[in-house]
Amino acid sequence: MADSDRLFINHKVTAKTARQLEDPLIVVCSALPSWCYRLAGFAPFLVSFETRLALLQATCFGYSRNINYWQNLARRERRGSSNASDSTQIPLGRVQRQKVRISRHRMLESALKMLELYGTPKSILEVEYYDEVGSGIGPTLEFYATISRCLQERELGLWRDECSPVPEAHSEYVYAPHGLFPAPMDSTSVSDSTQSSEPADALPPNDRTVQLFKFAGHLISKGLIDGRILDISLNTEFWAAVQRYLLPASSIKTATPWSWAQLEAVDAQLAKSLRYLYRFVEAKNEIYTRVELSPAQLQNEIDAIRNPDDQAAIADLALDFTLPGYPSVELRQGGAEIPVTMSNIHSYIDLVAEWTLHSGVRAQVAAFCQGFDRVFSSTCLLMFTPTELCNLIGQTVADDAYWSGSALRDSIKMENGFSLESPEVCMFI
């Protein structure tokens, strides 16, 4: 959490919320006061991130996981005392483990079917591979990492790609330095009767996209509840779009505004191009302020507008009302046949931004939330800011902070006689 965000935290409210979560009976019996939910949902900036995360785990992860968490906590406390004894403890709330074996040759198709059958919140999913002896947390973490990368393949066309395909290392994956954001599509061409049981390859392109976004939401919620690491970094504006979708309909304005900062966060090159076009709008607005001009002179001045950088006229750009980079997406009906002129350039800029940030990704966001709801309610995401969700669900691999020695020590789980002081572990770190 940034230092500026911590300025709004109310420490008394945070402490009071934390005290409610410290009582196992209240948590397990779902007897938390209603103000805890309302405060975290409508004013999350007043409560610390750690407390809101504890509230999420206590209210959304199920009874078995809560009981198991409190038992493990009590067991650690007893081990710290000199007269501790675990021999009389009755195991309660043990979370079942569902082991599933899949094939490496068709990972994505196997994962789609596997989550459909076993991706429930009642059990912890463990993955094994055919013709391999490995089992447990290692292959499971590899599964989540591999499927996360599969969803980022260029050929799927799910995400915006800031780099054109070129023969270089890792060119099969999209390039999104600021995080993944859905590629726009026309939601009117999506079938309402798409069944998740149909093979993804057998579906029309847009229906396949919707199915894969539903799967992505299901995968992320399952990884979150099972405590698995996902190698997927989503753009903050994607999480902002998810939260706008989850807000009550009465709180959403008819027209969703956009800003240059949002557009730059999604596609910096597109924002730069639209700023170039906006200079024509500014020049036209300046001419309209000159009241001494007659209507004919006004039109002549507007027709003579040139961009000061390269002296190009708007007609020289040969633009039409289709989305840049996605000619199949028309910004308005018959947009491929409508040229961009000085009279409609402002509408063109607004429509491009609107389709990039809102209209073009509405179906994908809705499918993502539907898949997320398969494990626990997606409305719980309203307790966090978009930046916090990025850090909670998908961390940026390029960030050196996640690969520091202290971060590795906190992440490594020691078993089979190894400890943090073992020579092998010290050499690894």
Side-chain angles (χ1 to χ4, degrees):
M1 180 181 291
D3 293 338
S4 58
D5 296 333
R6 295 184 179 274
L7 295 175
F8 296 96
I9 293 178
N10 188 308
H11 297 286
K12 291 185 178 180
V13 171
T14 298
K16 188 172 181 62
T17 306
R19 282 197 297 270
Q20 297 292 333
L21 298 173
E22 289 174 357
D23 191 330
L25 189 60
I26 291 179
V27 172
V28 174
C29 295
S30 300
L32 283 171
S34 59
W35 62 262
C36 290
Y37 304 98
R38 295 181 180 179
L39 186 67
F42 293 100
F45 51 85
L46 294 177
V47 185
S48 68
F49 170 76
E50 293 77 13
T51 303
R52 281 180 281 127
L53 182 59
L55 179 64
L56 172 71
Q57 296 170 341
T59 57
C60 300
F61 284 12
Y63 298 113
S64 297
R65 297 174 192 269
N66 284 332
I67 295 174
N68 187 63
Y69 167 77
W70 289 110
Q71 277 199 320
N72 291 336
L73 185 62
R75 187 182 298 113
R76 287 195 296 267
E77 291 177 352
R78 281 195 299 271
R79 286 175 179 174
S81 61
S82 58
N83 56 351
S85 176
D86 291 343
S87 58
T88 60
Q89 182 182 7
I90 301 176
L92 299 173
R94 176 174 293 179
V95 184
Q96 296 181 352
R97 296 182 179 272
Q98 178 67 54
K99 292 188 177 183
V100 182
R101 184 169 295 176
I102 64 174
S103 172
R104 285 187 180 274
H105 301 294
R106 298 179 62 85
M107 285 283 289
L108 187 57
E109 292 78 3
S110 299
L112 282 164
K113 192 66 176 179
M114 181 187 67
L115 274 192
E116 182 69 23
L117 296 175
Y118 306 109
T120 65
K122 296 181 180 180
S123 60
I124 297 177
L125 191 64
E126 290 190 353
V127 180
E128 300 176 357
Y129 299 99
Y130 285 112
D131 302 323
E132 296 185 20
V133 296
S135 63
I137 191 172
T140 303
L141 293 180
E142 183 195 2
F143 163 78
Y144 278 98
T146 303
I147 294 301
S148 298
R149 297 297 289 171
C150 287
L151 289 174
Q152 301 174 51
E153 292 179 355
R154 276 199 172 104
E155 63 179 14
L156 295 179
L158 299 181
W159 313 101
R160 298 187 71 92
D161 191 0
E162 295 189 23
C163 180
S164 59
V166 292
E168 60 181 10
H170 306 292
S171 61
E172 67 271 22
Y173 302 114
V174 298
Y175 177 70
H178 302 296
L180 299 169
F181 192 84
M185 72 175 190
D186 188 359
S187 59
T188 59
S189 61
V190 178
S191 173
D192 295 333
S193 60
T194 300
Q195 300 295 326
S196 60
S197 59
E198 298 181 39
D201 296 339
L203 295 173
N206 287 352
D207 289 344
R208 181 192 62 176
T209 297
V210 168
Q211 186 194 48
L212 290 177
F213 267 97
K214 188 179 297 184
F215 166 75
H218 196 176
L219 178 74
I220 287 176
S221 60
K222 183 59 178 173
L224 184 61
I225 199 173
D226 285 353
R228 305 309 188 194
I229 299 174
L230 296 173
D231 186 15
I232 185 168
S233 179
L234 296 170
N235 194 289
T236 54
E237 288 303 319
F238 174 78
W239 290 116
V242 168
Q243 292 183 331
R244 284 193 298 270
Y245 174 82
L246 296 174
L247 287 174
S250 58
S251 63
I252 301 177
K253 299 179 180 179
T254 304
T256 307
W258 63 273
S259 67
W260 290 108
Q262 289 178 305
L263 203 57
E264 289 173 350
V266 171
D267 192 332
Q269 187 60 44
L270 177 63
K272 182 180 178 180
S273 299
L274 291 184
R275 283 188 183 274
Y276 173 89
L277 296 178
Y278 194 73
R279 302 190 68 175
F280 290 96
V281 178
E282 293 174 332
K284 185 177 71 170
N285 293 338
E286 191 275 331
I287 292 175
Y288 277 124
T289 62
R290 298 162 61 181
V291 296
E292 73 277 4
L293 297 178
S294 65
Q297 291 174 329
L298 193 68
Q299 188 60 45
N300 290 335
E301 289 288 335
I302 292 176
D303 292 339
I305 291 177
R306 298 291 186 272
N307 189 285
D309 294 336
D310 51 16
Q311 297 302 311
I314 192 65
D316 298 335
L317 304 178
L319 298 174
D320 54 38
F321 274 75
T322 57
L323 196 61
Y326 303 90
S328 61
V329 179
E330 294 185 335
L331 302 177
R332 59 173 60 169
Q333 188 173 4
E337 306 298 329
I338 303 176
V340 177
T341 63
M342 288 302 304
S343 61
N344 59 21
I345 186 173
H346 196 286
S347 175
Y348 172 79
I349 294 174
D350 282 337
L351 286 172
V352 169
E354 164 66 22
W355 270 85
T356 298
L357 297 172
H358 307 304
S359 300
V361 300
R362 190 170 293 131
Q364 299 94 306
V365 169
F368 180 89
C369 293
Q370 291 172 12
F372 198 98
D373 289 334
R374 295 288 303 273
V375 180
F376 63 92
S377 176
S378 57
T379 56
C380 297
L381 299 176
L382 294 173
M383 292 193 296
F384 305 95
T385 66
T387 302
E388 289 171 342
L389 289 172
C390 286
N391 295 329
L392 179 64
I393 294 174
Q395 298 174 343
T396 305
V397 179
D399 196 334
D400 294 337
Y402 299 124
W403 296 99
S404 63
S406 59
L408 288 174
R409 290 186 181 89
D410 294 337
S411 303
I412 295 175
K413 182 179 180 181
M414 298 301 166
E415 291 182 350
N416 301 322
F418 289 97
S419 67
L420 287 174
E421 289 74 27
S422 300
E424 296 83 357
V425 176
C426 294
M427 290 175 62
F428 171 74
I429 295 177

